[in-house]
Amino acid sequence: MALWKLNPMDFTKMNPTRQAKIEAAPAKKLPELRTYVPNQIAAALHPEVQYLKVIKIEEEAGNCKRYYLGPNADKGTDSLAWFSAGQYLSISLEIGQAKLTRPYSIASSPRDALNGFYMLTIQRVEGGLASQYIHDNWAVGTEITASAPLGNFTYEPLRDAKTIVAVVGGSSITPFRAMAKSIAEGDEDAELVLIYGSRTLEDTMFQSELKALEESCGKFRFVNVFSDEQREGYEHGFITADIIRKYAPEGEYSLFVCGPQVMRKFVDKEIETLGLRRKFIRQELFGEYFGPAKEADYPQNVASEFQLTVRQTGKEYTLTAPADQSILRTLEAAGIAAPSHCRSGECGWCHSRLVSGEIYTPKSVDGRREADLIYGYIHPCCSFPVSDLVIEVSPL
Amino acid sequence: MDKFDVIVVGAGNGGLAAAANTAKAGLKTLLLEKHNIPGGCATSFRRGRFEFEPSLHELCSVGTAQRPDQVYKVFDDLGAKPKWCYETGHLFRAVVKGEDGYDVRLEAGIEAFCDSVEAAVPGSRKSVKAFVDLKPKIDAAIAYIYEMKGQPKGLTMLLKHSDFMRVAGHSVEEVMDALGMPKKAQNMINTYWGYLGVPTDELNCMHFLNMLYGYMVDGAAMPQHRSHELSLSLVDVIVKHGGQVWYNSEVTEFLYNDDGSVAGVVANGEKLYAREVISNVIPNNVFNMSPQSVIPEQNLKLANARDFGISVATIYLGLDCTAEELGMEDYTIFIMGHPDPRTQYNTRAEDGLYIVNCLNNVVPDSSPEGTCTLFFTMPIFGSDVPKDLKPEDYKKYKNEIAKKYIEDAEKTLGISIMPHIEEISVATPVTFARYLGTPEGTIYGYKLSGWDNLMARIAGEKADYAIPGLSFCGGHYIRGDGYSCAYIMGDTVAKKVIKRLKGDA
């Protein structure tokens, strides 16, 4: 033991040394967070909210409109956040007394955001509360509140094969318009084969644009598949395994699937026959879930509605909650500002504590964490009441 | 809104432990958190079929029901019951690349630990054992200091506790050198510097020894369901005892009484009042949300004098093969480009030191059957992020980091990772700046630098935190970061608050 070599009295010098160091420092106001580089980049990439304005509207095929959104500097948004092609914006809407959100994939490219706009293409859905409202009400100058870009349906070079084969139906084309442009503009180093199912040529969104992009960009191939018409030089029918095989490259590729739920059911079966490894199949968000009663594990003899007690920052509300409507929809219809983004069970933004009662969440959209199940947390966007409930909901 | 007894700002580990204590003591408690879930770093996130642990490597000082250590007691006394899983076998594997490199596994348990260092560096056992044996002496001295209510007699200290003064007054390497420990053995043991972010020629020896001992004796523990389980178990305590936890409720202002004592905070645009406020938020942010006139000069100078602690870049991988198929037998592997901590620290942005964890080797079912996860950690500072990095180049920056380290691990360990990546997520100090809101994305609060070490912080506590009614806890507080320290400090600070409030009731 040679510890005696160390002077124990050095211990007594620590305080004076520290005091001297403190004394020598200035008593000035500390720098704001925005002066630090990591905080600056974080704020630019992930603003808590983006205030936008409609700057242009164009008609698009398939009963769609293109909405070009620019920053609303008057409200404090000077520039638009960069994103990865495939991400979406969660748009906040107030329709009558209802307060709700809708996720829309960004159809423009990340470069376009640097140039001052996002473009969303929104299809008018019959019976669709939000899409009808937007089509009827949004005009040039309308102020919009949006989230930062969100979602993980993006190309990841260390994970995905170099070639993406996208299997897409109907208005779900939007993220792939962004991806095709992003590749052409050099922001993603990948190749894209876009197999796009639509009813007819007339229904096909972005047709001439994507054709032109195919001509000019060697990394992008565009394949139309029409279900309701036969045309020379185009595929006909649904998107089958044979069609995928025909256009997929030799060797590895990553399959990105995005489309309406009916199309997915068909395509999923086709994909199974391709024998791809799971890591090479990526599905876009399932979309909002409706009609839990059809599930085999849905409980028996559930009443048609329940009492829902909602606690939010010290306040309490009592609502009637229909059994066949998600808890999120019940909150929104009552005008309670409740957090939500993806509305598909995945992002967890609506994470809420179930104080008492029972809910049903379909397995296919249950994106909760393991510990959530132990401690009683739910995602209201895909939870349905099966008893009277008390829940705690966060403010926006 | 009625006045609260205690408002806790920030639901990180310290804030959660503090709020759970005050709620359990019957004090009307409100915990405010700016995110939509609790935990700060102690959370989890999902990608595909994987749920990733974002930050915890291994909790030290947990222990078991039969032999509980400090952290176990904090949870157990509160009635929180997370399911602990324990690392079995060795503490860690350390791989140093290059000609003077080595590849060793250090074992858990005092004797086994000393034996494993001896096996790798013959002739080192005596000095290693002497080093480890300092721990009980430190404990005895600390017990005496507590007994004397922080005013120990100088002569008693010198006569009875001089080894404590030597250890607490010097760096890890100064003490090891004095004990004649071979440099190679020092380097192996000091691999742990990565967990504290300060190299061992600067790190206070007592601090390091406490951590080392905590791992060595108890082994390391992990929650079964990622850190999200730890956080929810504490929230459960708070709400069970009538406390409230508000998420998405960022505090934007601290309110003060005319006498300079804290009165409450503003969150969601609402003024909320309390008899005491406990801040899990770093003083830099608190001071910038307060009128400058209320901040004691010493406190402002201290904040100006301090450097921020380390942050990290991390890679989360979900692989479509098992740990066995991958060839990962270990839970924790430190991979280093150089043998000594100071060089590792200086080359941190290149290949200084990084950690690879495979959680399946502690919690086998932490990912679906036929899969495993890997978690890479590179200690770097927020100031290491390139100043000219543009937001549009950020994804490339992240992927370059990830590619470099994954390929290095493949080469160093002789395994194949890349073809198995089913899910990937990469975080950097930018990510931590976003989620924690700390300056430069520091996860360790302030750097535990030579002059601002643990011992000196303990001595300075009273003067350093001088705003009446406002307490601090968390990584930026006295003990620095690490889950264990944050829980223990949150617990300790809350108990002082409880004593004050219940005393004057």
Side-chain angles (χ1 to χ4, degrees), chain A residues 101 312 328 337-341 349-352 393-396, chain B residues 36 248:
Chain A
T101 67
Q312 191 180 44
L328 177 63
S340 68
H341 284 328
W349 189 241
C350 60
H351 193 260
S352 299
V393 174
S394 300
L396 286 183
Chain B
N36 71 324
N248 290 354

Side-chain angles (χ1 to χ4, degrees), chain B residues 139-156:
Chain B
D139 290 346
I142 289 174
Y144 167 69
I145 295 171
Y146 268 105
E147 190 186 310
M148 300 302 288
K149 295 195 162 54
Q151 304 290 325
K153 291 198 171 74
L155 194 61
T156 310

Side-chain angles (χ1 to χ4, degrees), chain B residues 304-327:
Chain B
N304 271 297
R306 285 173 146 173
D307 294 323
F308 297 118
I310 204 135
S311 184
V312 285
T314 47
I315 310 166
Y316 311 95
L317 300 176
L319 305 181
D320 67 354
C321 62
T322 63
E324 201 180 358
E325 286 160 356
L326 186 67

Side-chain angles (χ1 to χ4, degrees), chain A residues 338-389:
Chain A
S340 68
H341 284 328
C342 80
R343 306 181 74 88
S344 303
E346 191 190 80
C347 79
W349 189 241
C350 60
H351 193 260
S352 299
R353 190 167 76 90
L354 180 62
V355 179
S356 67
E358 301 273 329
I359 57 106
Y360 173 78
T361 294
K363 283 201 178 62
S364 60
V365 288
D366 195 347
R368 286 178 288 175
R369 299 159 168 95
E370 289 172 19
D372 289 336
L373 305 182
I374 300 170
Y375 288 98
Y377 288 80
I378 61 171
H379 290 171
C381 73
C382 55
S383 297
F384 298 84
V386 292
S387 78
D388 288 345
L389 302 175

Side-chain angles (χ1 to χ4, degrees), chain B residues 162-173:
Chain B
S162 62
D163 279 352
F164 163 79
M165 291 173 73
R166 290 185 175 97
V167 171
H170 293 93
S171 73
V172 179
E173 291 183 30

Side-chain angles (χ1 to χ4, degrees), chain A residues 128-366:
Chain A
L129 176 68
S131 71
Q132 288 189 0
Y133 173 85
I134 290 171
H135 272 241
D136 294 343
N137 291 278
W138 280 13
V140 170
T142 300
E143 296 190 334
I144 313 286
T145 304
S147 68
L150 300 166
N152 303 309
F153 190 60
T154 55
Y155 170 70
E156 294 302 329
L158 299 182
R159 177 196 70 188
D160 300 325
K162 195 83 181 165
T163 301
I164 302 164
V165 175
V167 173
V168 187
S171 62
S172 303
I173 184 76
T174 46
F176 295 100
R177 183 187 182 272
M179 211 173 276
K181 281 199 77 187
S182 186
I183 290 168
E185 289 163 358
D187 287 313
E188 296 285 9
D189 185 16
E191 303 199 1
L192 174 63
V193 178
L194 177 52
I195 305 175
Y196 180 20
S198 56
R199 266 198 274 280
T200 62
L201 180 63
E202 201 175 76
D203 275 335
T204 306
M205 294 161 62
F206 311 133
Q207 180 68 20
S208 55
E209 251 179 357
L210 291 175
K211 273 285 166 201
L213 203 58
E214 188 187 25
E215 292 291 312
S216 64
C217 173
K219 292 177 169 181
F220 174 54
R221 175 102 202 254
F222 184 50
V223 180
N224 288 105
V225 184
F226 300 130
S227 60
D228 292 9
E229 78 175 328
Q230 294 221 29
R231 264 180 194 266
E232 186 65 30
Y234 296 90
E235 294 288 346
H236 171 69
F238 292 125
I239 301 175
T240 59
D242 283 339
I243 290 184
I244 296 170
R245 262 188 228 107
K246 182 172 168 187
Y247 294 99
E250 302 253 329
E252 286 180 349
Y253 60 93
S254 283
L255 200 62
F256 278 48
V257 184
C258 185
Q261 288 167 18
V262 279
M263 174 212 136
R264 295 247 203 133
K265 278 199 177 135
F266 176 82
V267 168
D268 281 352
K269 290 208 180 72
E270 294 294 310
I271 293 173
E272 271 175 35
T273 70
L274 293 171
L276 297 176
R277 275 165 72 196
R278 185 171 173 152
K279 69 164 268 175
F280 290 125
I281 304 170
R282 317 220 72 90
Q283 306 264 2
E284 171 58 309
L285 293 172
F286 189 76
E288 199 159 341
Y289 183 94
F290 297 99
K294 65 178 179 284
E295 299 286 344
D297 61 345
Y298 187 74
Q300 301 284 315
N301 306 319
V302 175
S304 63
E305 58 183 45
F306 297 99
Q307 184 177 304
L308 172 64
T309 305
V310 182
R311 295 182 190 158
Q312 191 180 44
T313 58
K315 295 168 203 75
E316 195 167 294
Y317 312 90
T318 305
L319 314 174
T320 300
D324 63 353
Q325 180 169 283
S326 74
I327 293 168
L328 177 63
R329 287 218 165 211
T330 299
L331 296 172
E332 290 177 338
I336 294 173
S340 68
H341 284 328
C342 80
R343 306 181 74 88
S344 303
E346 191 190 80
C347 79
W349 189 241
C350 60
H351 193 260
S352 299
R353 190 167 76 90
L354 180 62
V355 179
S356 67
E358 301 273 329
I359 57 106
Y360 173 78
T361 294
K363 283 201 178 62
S364 60
V365 288
D366 195 347

Side-chain angles (χ1 to χ4, degrees), chain B residues 420-431:
Chain B
H420 295 289
I421 299 175
E422 181 177 312
E423 297 294 342
I424 181 170
S425 190
V426 185
T428 71
V430 173
T431 317

Side-chain angles (χ1 to χ4, degrees), chain B residues 67 72 119 142 154 167 203 246 256 334 347 394 408 418 464 471:
Chain B
R67 213 164 42 81
Y72 191 97
I142 289 174
V167 171
L203 182 64
W246 296 0
Y256 294 85
F334 289 84
T347 56
Y394 179 65
D408 190 80
M418 217 57 109
D464 293 346
S471 314

